[in-house]
Amino acid sequence: MNEVESLYQDIIVDHVKHPRRQGLRDGATVESHQLNPTCGDEITLQLVLDGDRIVDAAWTGRGCMVSQSSASILAEQLPGLTAAEAGERIESFRASMRSRGEIPVDEDLLGDAVALEGAAKFVARVKCAMLAWVAAEDALAKR
Ligand code: ZN
C-alpha cells in the first residue's frame, strides 16, 4: 500500500469508527431507503429541507466499510447545499465511480469522498460506494 492509499484508508476507518450524522431523527422532510443486496448493505437517509436548501441530513445503515463510510462522508457535506449543488456532487461522484479509475474523484468538490476512489476499480464495490448517494438523489427527487 502506498502513502496515498494508506491515507485514504485512514479517512475511511475514521468515518466508520466515528460516523457523522448517524441516527434517524423526527421531522425529516424526505427520506430514502436503499439496499445493495449483492453485498448486504442498507442505508436510510433523511434530509430536512428549507425550500431548496438542505439544512440537515441524518442516516442509519449497516453493511460493509465502503457503504457505511460513504454514507458518513456524504451526510457530513450535505447540510448547507442547495438541491442543485447536491445533485452536482452526486453526478460528479457517480461519474468517477463508473469510470473504473479513469476519472479521479474531485477532492475540491467532494472532500473526503476522495478516499473512496479505490472502490471505482472494483465493479462490486461501486454499488457499495454509491448507495448513500443514490439515497440522497432519491430523497431529493421526492421534494
Ligand atoms: Zn458493500
Side-chain angles (χ1 to χ4, degrees):
M1 194 156 47
N2 68 35
E3 214 170 279
V4 172
E5 280 171 346
S6 71
L7 169 71
Y8 286 180
Q9 189 66 28
D10 287 349
I11 294 174
I12 289 173
V13 170
D14 181 56
H15 276 276
V16 169
K17 282 189 179 164
H18 310 285
R20 322 294 202 267
R21 298 185 174 275
Q22 193 181 40
L24 301 182
R25 303 156 200 195
D26 291 334
T29 317
V30 286
E31 180 176 314
S32 175
H33 179 238
Q34 297 291 325
L35 284 172
N36 175 20
T38 55
C39 183
D41 307 320
E42 206 172 325
I43 298 283
T44 301
L45 181 82
Q46 294 180 326
L47 300 176
V48 178
L49 300 168
D50 179 8
D52 231 22
R53 194 168 292 278
I54 299 166
V55 293
D56 198 7
W59 67 281
T60 187
R62 55 184 180 175
C64 68
M65 281 180 72
V66 172
S67 66
Q68 303 303 296
S69 63
S70 184
S72 173
I73 287 167
L74 175 66
E76 186 175 42
Q77 55 183 268
L78 286 176
L81 301 180
T82 63
E85 287 164 348
E88 187 192 343
R89 291 183 190 217
I90 293 164
E91 276 313 310
S92 174
F93 187 64
R94 174 180 281 131
S96 293
M97 284 297 112
R98 285 185 175 169
S99 75
R100 303 208 174 179
E102 294 290 313
I103 305 171
V105 171
D106 183 347
E107 189 171 4
D108 291 338
L109 185 66
L110 298 169
D112 279 359
V114 71
L116 297 160
E117 195 167 84
K121 294 179 188 135
F122 306 95
V123 175
R125 286 280 167 220
V126 170
K127 279 190 176 178
C128 304
M130 280 303 302
L131 195 63
W133 303 66
V134 169
E137 189 173 51
D138 181 54
L140 286 170
K142 293 176 179 171
R143 282 180 295 145

